[in-house]
Amino acid sequence: MAHTRDSGKKATIVVAGDLSIDWFEVSRAPQAPSGGGAASFQNWMSFHHVRRFAKPGGAWLLADFVRAAGGDTAVVHSLSAKHIERIPATELIQAFITLDRFPYSSAKKDEKNWIYRIKSSSGFDGPQDGRPSALPFPGAPARADMIVIDDAGNGFRDHKELWPEALKKPGKPVVVVKMNRPLAAGALFEEVRSRHRERLVIVINADDLRQEGIKISRRLSWERTAKEFVWQMASNPRLLPLSSCVNLVVRFGLEGAILYSRFHGKVESWLFYDPKIGEDGFGEVYPGEMIGCGSAFVAGIVGRLARGGLEGIKESVIHGLAAARRLWQQGFRSEATALDYPDLEVFKPLEPNDNPLAMIQVPKPTAAEPADPDFWCILDDLSRADLESIAYNFVLKGRDPLLDQVPCGQFRFLKAYDRSEIESFRSIKNLINEYLANADITRPLSISVFGTPGSGKSFGVNEVAESVAPGRLKKIEFNLSQFNSIEELVAAFHKVRDIALGGKIPMVFFDEFDSDFKGKLGWLKYFLAPMQDGVFSDGQTVHPIGRAIFVFAGGTCCTYEEFCCRGQDPDFRAAKGPDFISRLRGYVDIKGPNPVDGEERLFLIRRAQVLRFQLEKNARQIFDGGGNCRIDPGVLRAMIKVPRYRHGIRSMVAVIEMSLLSGRQTFEQAALTSPKQLELHVDAEMFSRLVVRDVLLGSARELLARAIHEKYRLDNRDKRSPDDPSMQPWDELLEEVKESNRQQADHIPRKLKAVGCDFAPVVRSKPKPLKFSDREIEVMAEIEHDRWVAEKFLQGFSFGPRDVHRKTSPYLVAWEDLTEEIKDFDRQAVSEIPELLASAGFEIYRLKTK
């Protein structure tokens, strides 16, 4: 099984391990006699109905799933599960689970599409004498292609007499162990690690790692979770037994997994993740819970390995996640009178469009400390080629194929693709979730939010809060820069208290909380008691505020770090700044639509999101029936690439609202307002030049062509004869040679794109110099040669001695067949593109994020 199994032979699979009996309880409402059924109505029917079902659990359930996953490619051997309802808890572990009806999903269309999932678990009962939760396995084959073990840590691992013979006999089966806590412990682990090391697959749950004290973040970002995991595996001596395994698969809920593989001393880690849902987010979309997802995950892996061997381990992880997700989605099939697990549909092969999961290799740790020194970002890894194209596609179509693979934090109508923003928003979401779930906390939850004016601070936090508790919160906002007295703040607290007394939880935005009041940061000290004790004073009377969420939005500082950096300032300490910070429980830095610094490129994606959202909101008529935005390419380019919006998102909205779009089906260049009006919100000259960039380049065509020719004459004055037709002054040049220079100028944008570059007009400054790498020059030189060859063939040239008049050339050959001397002509030409464009008022910049 180390290699792909012969296609005509069925795999022999043995499944064993800890067993359990799962008792499911379903409650039904009382009935009342009606119509003709009254005669058969019995008194007990008028009381609450309870129906119980016993189902095989543990290794029994895993074996059933493996049969379904293996289909007709495998023969599965396992213990039979007969009359399990007669087995007492003194012999085998029994679980007690309550089911209920849940909507299939949280989508409105599914609100009446009821299925059964788990409502709660009552606990377990089992042998009190240390008896293992397993039974002897007589008749199991002594040889197997695969052995699958459900090691739940309930005794099977330490009783060799219960292990299948195939595990103890010589042979080369693939061994898959579904392992629970305590991890990497017991005789079974030592047996499989020593005897079957090269063909071993260990499958564990990330929560078991966390419960054993391994620090791996949860619900923040896939990047952070993955980097912390690989760092722990490389650095934590407690994980040495697991890190030495050839194949370790760690499941992160239903949303992701990591494959940690070690072959010939080389370690690779692969992250499999749902880009649209973070860890533990599946249950928010599909309410309730479901038992057996871990077994379905392992069965999906086993079914794929049975078909393709260990070479297909990556694909098997994807199949396992898909199976576990389908099991949760489908719940228990049929009505309560015929309760059962879903059918084989759970393990059906993946269709091309049936897999929302993405896969990426996790960078190896680069230092002992910290776990993620380079702040790995999947968006950077996947989008190095051209963030601009991704941004344009998002505005035009609402999506981009590459962006579909990037982790996205969605909080109601807010989407975030920037890892730092995702982590901040999810931290706030986790805080609000915990606060709302713990009714014992009576003081307000205090968080802060920072960003430039117009960055969307209020919108961002509001969307996060509404995604947690839709309808439970009531937003109220106060701008402290407009308050002139303490009495106004006290009145604001009374309004907050009234909302709390009305049964809702107020979400209070204190905008510009860091503004001056009787000195620098004068408002801070008046929030200390409300934040710490949940009370405020009105004269001699102290009032409780009640449960509330305080959101402090910065007005003078753009980041939390900038606010905290005042810590050594005497004025900051006098204003009780450190005391205020100590009462905060979280913060968010909102980046907004402008670049954070001169190197940042991810702002293009943030702009595209805002632009698409605002166009849908304010100019819905420019979208066709398929959701495609009808916007002029020049307008789109200017909206995405203008250096800065003076007032952030407010300026983006203003440019849209100032345009003549009413009754128009397309956002045309003519719809834009005058440059003087644009100047209120952007650099109007740069914006206008970006709109007509291609026209500007076209108008500079003749200038560029002349410059190309003159540069050619200068570079080749010692290599070509003065009588050579290509060395004549521009005005004396043959028209076809002039046109060749023009076409070379026209081709510049394509060559720049090929090496991840683009160009933009320059206003009121000199173009920034850019030097191409040797690799970039080689790529563009070959493209230029191919362009020239195509041009010559269209002009009727053929291969032969160099003769312009007879239209023959010895250079009409493939790039690799040219001499280095001839190649240098093209290399020289493309290396001078930055200088040529600068002469026409353009500068080149790189599209890559790194």
Side-chain angles (χ1 to χ4, degrees):
M1 287 295 293
H3 300 285
T4 304
R5 184 178 52 80
D6 293 339
S7 58
K9 180 176 176 267
K10 289 188 176 184
T12 299
I13 304 177
V14 174
V15 183
D18 289 298
L19 304 171
S20 68
I21 300 167
D22 298 329
W23 283 94
F24 296 103
E25 181 178 286
V26 180
S27 298
R28 304 182 70 181
Q31 296 178 5
S34 61
S40 62
F41 185 82
Q42 297 180 13
N43 187 52
W44 71 271
M45 295 180 181
S46 61
F47 294 90
H48 209 80
H49 296 193
V50 176
R51 185 179 294 271
R52 292 189 176 91
F53 305 84
K55 291 292 178 183
W60 277 325
L61 178 61
L62 178 57
D64 287 342
F65 284 168
V66 169
R67 285 190 186 90
D72 57 5
T73 65
V75 177
V76 180
H77 299 267
S78 66
L79 280 169
S80 61
K82 294 181 179 179
H83 308 299
I84 59 172
E85 68 278 358
R86 301 178 187 175
I87 302 176
T90 54
E91 295 185 19
L92 283 181
I93 291 175
Q94 307 200 3
F96 301 93
I97 301 158
T98 301
L99 303 181
D100 204 348
R101 294 201 309 165
F102 290 89
Y104 175 79
S105 78
S106 56
K108 187 172 181 60
K109 63 183 177 64
D110 288 325
E111 60 185 9
K112 293 184 179 180
N113 184 12
W114 301 101
I115 63 170
Y116 282 95
R117 293 195 186 111
I118 294 173
K119 178 182 178 182
S120 62
S121 175
S122 304
F124 297 87
D125 194 5
Q128 303 297 313
D129 56 2
R131 183 183 306 178
S133 61
L135 299 171
F137 192 174
R143 294 285 188 274
D145 296 306
M146 297 188 73
I147 302 171
V148 185
I149 304 295
D150 192 330
D151 176 14
N154 290 320
F156 176 86
R157 63 172 58 169
D158 295 315
H159 288 261
K160 294 185 179 182
E161 72 277 7
L162 300 175
W163 300 353
E165 285 299 310
L167 191 68
K168 298 178 282 186
K169 291 288 182 69
K172 294 185 177 181
V174 170
V175 179
V176 181
V177 180
K178 175 176 174 279
M179 182 187 296
N180 289 69
R181 294 181 63 211
L183 300 173
L188 176 67
F189 179 71
E190 295 304 323
E191 175 77 11
V192 297
R193 188 169 63 154
S194 60
R195 186 184 291 272
H196 303 285
R197 182 180 182 277
E198 297 302 320
R199 299 165 301 282
L200 177 62
V201 181
I202 299 289
V203 183
I204 63 177
N205 193 317
D207 283 342
D208 282 343
L209 282 173
R210 291 164 174 147
Q211 289 172 24
E212 292 204 347
I214 306 302
K215 184 183 180 301
I216 302 173
S217 64
R218 182 203 303 271
R219 300 179 188 172
L220 291 178
S221 71
W222 285 121
E223 292 96 333
R224 181 178 292 273
T225 295
K227 288 288 286 185
E228 289 181 354
F229 169 79
V230 297
W231 183 82
Q232 289 281 352
M233 292 296 289
S235 308
N236 195 329
R238 295 171 58 186
L239 295 176
L240 188 59
L242 287 175
S243 66
S244 65
C245 293
V246 172
N247 293 292
L248 174 67
V249 181
V250 183
R251 181 170 67 90
F252 290 83
L254 297 171
E255 301 81 17
I258 293 178
L259 170 63
Y260 187 87
S261 298
R262 180 184 295 273
F263 290 103
H264 307 298
K266 180 183 178 182
V267 175
E268 283 188 356
S269 301
W270 289 87
L271 170 66
F272 307 83
Y273 59 98
D274 187 329
K276 294 180 173 58
I277 305 177
E279 188 181 358
D280 295 338
F282 205 76
E284 296 178 9
V285 182
Y286 301 95
E289 296 184 9
M290 191 63 191
I291 195 171
C293 291
S295 294
F297 177 68
V298 173
I301 291 175
V302 171
R304 185 68 179 82
L305 292 179
R307 292 175 173 85
L310 283 172
E311 286 81 0
I313 185 70
K314 294 187 186 73
E315 293 77 10
S316 75
V317 175
I318 293 176
H319 279 72
L321 277 172
R325 291 157 70 96
R326 287 172 180 158
L327 176 66
W328 184 298
Q329 287 172 316
Q330 296 183 24
F332 289 93
R333 63 182 173 87
S334 192
E335 290 298 321
T337 54
L339 182 74
D340 205 350
Y341 287 96
D343 54 22
L344 302 182
E345 188 77 5
V346 168
F347 300 100
K348 69 178 182 180
L350 289 172
E351 300 294 334
N353 297 322
D354 190 35
N355 180 27
L357 301 169
M359 175 179 73
I360 193 169
Q361 189 168 2
V362 184
K364 296 178 181 178
T366 57
E369 191 73 31
D372 188 15
D374 301 319
F375 201 73
W376 177 49
C377 181
I378 292 175
L379 178 57
D380 281 347
D381 266 15
L382 294 178
S383 62
R384 291 183 183 180
D386 192 350
L387 276 173
E388 285 183 20
S389 293
I390 296 172
Y392 296 152
N393 282 337
F394 189 88
V395 176
L396 294 171
K397 303 174 183 178
R399 60 175 296 273
D400 178 86
L402 195 147
L403 202 60
D404 289 344
Q405 302 176 51
V406 175
C408 171
Q410 181 149 7
F411 312 91
R412 210 170 69 146
F413 299 119
L414 170 68
K415 287 184 178 181
Y417 291 96
D418 186 305
R419 174 187 164 183
S420 61
E421 286 196 329
I422 291 174
E423 291 188 2
S424 292
F425 283 133
R426 283 192 176 143
S427 296
I428 296 303
K429 180 176 180 178
N430 294 340
L431 283 170
I432 295 175
N433 241 329
E434 290 296 312
Y435 180 76
L436 296 179
N438 190 348
D440 294 333
I441 302 177
T442 57
R443 65 171 178 264
L445 169 67
S446 298
I447 59 179
S448 61
V449 56
F450 296 90
T452 56
S455 58
K457 297 187 288 291
S458 175
F459 174 78
V461 176
N462 184 67
E463 292 303 289
V464 171
E466 284 296 322
S467 72
V468 175
R472 288 186 60 187
L473 307 176
K474 184 171 181 180
K475 180 181 174 182
I476 186 170
E477 188 168 347
F478 305 102
N479 191 317
L480 295 185
S481 68
Q482 299 176 5
F483 282 14
N484 296 309
S485 66
I486 300 301
E487 288 72 23
E488 288 180 271
L489 181 60
V490 170
F493 283 138
H494 275 295
K495 291 180 180 179
V496 173
R497 183 168 182 263
D498 290 342
I499 294 172
L501 291 173
K504 289 214 170 187
I505 294 181
M507 188 167 71
V508 194
F509 280 82
F510 292 107
D511 203 6
E512 301 191 56
F513 76 95
D514 50 356
S515 57
D516 293 347
F517 176 69
K518 298 181 179 179
K520 290 183 179 179
L521 303 171
W523 288 110
L524 298 191
K525 60 187 175 183
Y526 298 105
F527 287 104
L528 300 182
M531 294 167 72
Q532 180 66 33
D533 303 316
V535 298
F536 68 96
S537 299
D538 185 0
Q540 300 300 312
T541 306
V542 176
H543 298 278
I545 293 176
R547 286 166 60 79
I549 298 173
F550 284 178
V551 181
F552 295 96
T556 62
C557 295
C558 295
T559 66
Y560 174 75
E561 182 179 4
E562 182 184 347
F563 178 71
C564 291
C565 280
R566 302 177 177 184
Q568 302 305 316
D569 183 349
D571 291 338
F572 184 75
R573 303 185 71 84
K576 301 295 183 181
D579 294 325
F580 177 85
I581 291 173
S582 71
R583 288 160 169 78
L584 294 174
R585 295 297 177 262
Y587 74 91
V588 184
D589 286 338
I590 307 291
K591 293 184 177 180
N594 289 324
V596 175
D597 53 47
E599 300 299 321
E600 201 231 355
R601 301 282 299 160
L602 297 183
F603 76 93
L604 297 168
I605 305 300
R606 298 196 297 273
R607 278 190 183 175
Q609 292 174 257
V610 174
L611 181 56
R612 172 90 186 187
F613 179 81
Q614 293 297 338
L615 287 173
E616 287 178 336
K617 180 180 178 182
N618 296 294
R620 186 64 204 166
Q621 74 279 2
I622 70 171
F623 291 83
D624 65 19
N628 298 305
C629 181
R630 295 182 290 251
I631 182 172
D632 176 82
V635 175
L636 176 58
R637 178 171 53 246
M639 294 288 287
I640 292 296
K641 292 178 60 176
V642 69
R644 188 169 191 81
Y645 285 96
R646 301 192 193 284
H647 310 292
I649 293 175
R650 289 195 287 269
S651 287
M652 292 189 74
V653 175
V655 172
I656 295 171
E657 292 179 344
M658 294 161 68
S659 300
L660 301 175
L661 296 176
S662 298
R664 288 173 170 80
Q665 303 299 307
T666 304
F667 195 159
E668 302 169 341
Q669 294 184 20
L672 291 167
T673 190
S674 68
K676 285 188 177 181
Q677 302 302 318
L678 282 173
E679 191 67 35
L680 292 168
H681 298 283
V682 293
D683 181 331
E685 185 177 354
M686 174 57 84
F687 190 93
S688 300
R689 288 176 68 86
L690 283 167
V691 170
V692 296
R693 186 202 70 173
D694 295 340
V695 177
L696 291 174
L697 183 65
S699 67
R701 185 187 192 220
E702 196 75 5
L703 173 66
L704 289 172
R706 279 177 175 266
I708 289 171
H709 177 64
E710 292 306 323
K711 189 65 176 169
Y712 175 84
R713 292 181 69 202
L714 180 64
D715 293 338
N716 293 279
R717 60 188 174 185
D718 297 329
K719 302 174 185 178
R720 299 282 191 201
S721 167
D723 297 328
D724 190 306
S726 66
M727 294 294 291
Q728 304 311 305
W730 179 263
D731 292 337
E732 300 174 17
L733 206 59
L734 292 172
E735 183 58 31
E736 61 193 44
V737 181
K738 288 183 178 180
E739 185 59 26
S740 179
N741 284 298
R742 295 179 186 119
Q743 291 185 25
Q744 186 175 339
D746 295 341
H747 206 254
I748 287 175
R750 181 180 171 188
K751 287 193 278 285
L752 292 177
K753 285 285 186 182
V755 293
C757 293
D758 202 353
F759 67 100
V762 179
V763 177
R764 293 185 294 274
S765 65
K766 290 184 178 180
K768 297 178 182 177
L770 183 142
K771 183 176 177 59
F772 294 124
S773 68
D774 291 343
R775 185 197 66 81
E776 291 170 332
I777 289 175
E778 198 69 12
V779 169
M780 291 191 294
E782 184 173 353
I783 292 174
E784 171 56 25
H785 174 70
D786 292 343
R787 180 206 66 78
W788 180 86
V789 169
E791 172 197 306
K792 291 304 176 187
F793 278 137
L794 286 173
Q795 291 175 356
F797 274 71
S798 61
F799 180 79
R802 186 172 183 273
D803 191 323
V804 174
H805 300 291
R806 293 185 179 182
K807 293 191 174 183
T808 58
S809 173
Y811 312 130
L812 295 174
V813 295
W815 174 258
E816 55 269 20
D817 295 329
L818 293 174
T819 65
E820 289 300 309
E821 181 183 5
I822 299 304
K823 287 181 179 179
D824 282 340
F825 285 112
D826 290 312
R827 291 171 181 145
Q828 182 69 29
V830 299
S831 66
E832 293 163 352
I833 289 177
E835 183 181 342
L836 289 169
L837 286 180
S839 67
F842 297 94
E843 70 179 14
I844 300 172
Y845 59 91
R846 300 189 187 280
L847 294 166
K848 298 182 181 181
T849 56
K850 288 184 179 178

